[in-house]
């Protein structure tokens, strides 16, 4: 009986963990971009995060209107956390990726930043807005890697 409860708990934990690393609706290079983005946030790695955001990043409606403001927001969030607390980025796909041009993809997400200690969720916050976020990511023609170029509230 106890073994069955333990096994069910592990199965539930694994399902939640896998969906955080494999958001529904993402595949291929787009999935790899979001995994890298999640890994950067989850490890509080600002330098790695900077490498995923285009120098041409812009926004007209989102609170972080250029790359420096967005990076500064992440730095502020990370610095407020004690060293033993780590964020866990969760991305809900609200609109499947739509290819806009040969190298540009549009999608709508609802990102949540969860704060965990020993696997227990202490708090959650959205990315500076309660709205969903439309994202535009662009593939670099030289490297083939995606970069974030735009986020807008929708």
């Amino acid at each position: 009986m106890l073994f069955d409860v333990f096994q069910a708990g592990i199965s539930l934990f694994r399902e939640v963990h896998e969906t955080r690393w494999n958001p529904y609706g993402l595949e291929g290079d787009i999935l790899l971009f979001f995994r890298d983005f999640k890994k950067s946030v989850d490890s509080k790695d600002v330098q790695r995060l900077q490498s995923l955001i285009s120098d041409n990043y812009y926004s007209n409606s989102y609170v972080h209107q250029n790359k420096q403001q967005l990076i500064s927001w992440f730095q502020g969030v990370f610095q407020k956390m004690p060293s033993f607390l780590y964020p866990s980025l969760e991305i809900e796909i609200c609109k499947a990726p739509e290819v806009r041009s040969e190298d540009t993809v549009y999608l709508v997400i609802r990102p949540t930043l969860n704060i965990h200690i020993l696997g227990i969720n202490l708090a959650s916050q959205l990315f500076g807005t309660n709205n969903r976020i439309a994202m535009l990511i662009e593939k670099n023609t030289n490297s083939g890697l995606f970069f974030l170029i735009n986020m807008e509230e929708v």
Side-chain angles (χ1 to χ4, degrees), residues 26-129:
L26 299 184
E27 57 186 30
D29 290 337
I30 298 169
L31 175 60
L32 294 176
F33 168 80
F34 278 97
R35 280 185 180 169
D36 207 13
F37 197 82
K38 176 178 174 39
K39 189 180 287 186
S40 301
V41 171
D42 291 2
S43 63
K44 303 181 198 177
D45 190 339
V46 175
Q47 288 181 335
R48 186 175 183 166
L49 201 53
Q50 283 179 311
S51 72
L52 297 171
I53 301 170
S54 169
D55 290 337
N56 299 322
Y57 171 82
Y58 68 96
S59 179
N60 296 317
S61 64
Y62 189 57
V63 291
H64 317 296
Q65 296 187 343
N66 60 46
K67 180 177 180 174
Q68 186 54 47
Q69 287 177 352
L70 185 58
I71 294 298
S72 292
W73 181 80
F74 277 109
Q75 282 178 318
V77 169
F78 298 159
Q79 288 172 353
K80 289 178 187 173
M81 286 184 212
S83 60
F84 58 88
L85 289 180
Y86 282 88
S88 176
L89 179 62
E90 187 176 333
I91 298 170
E92 176 188 347
I93 306 301
C94 302
K95 180 182 183 334
E98 174 186 308
V99 176
R100 290 278 172 100
S101 70
E102 187 176 322
D103 298 322
T104 307
V105 177
Y106 171 86
L107 64 155
V108 178
I109 66 170
R110 177 168 293 154
T112 304
L113 198 57
N114 299 303
I115 310 303
H116 291 252
I117 185 168
L118 300 174
I120 300 169
N121 190 24
L122 299 177
S124 296
Q125 78 176 56
L126 299 174
F127 270 37
T129 179

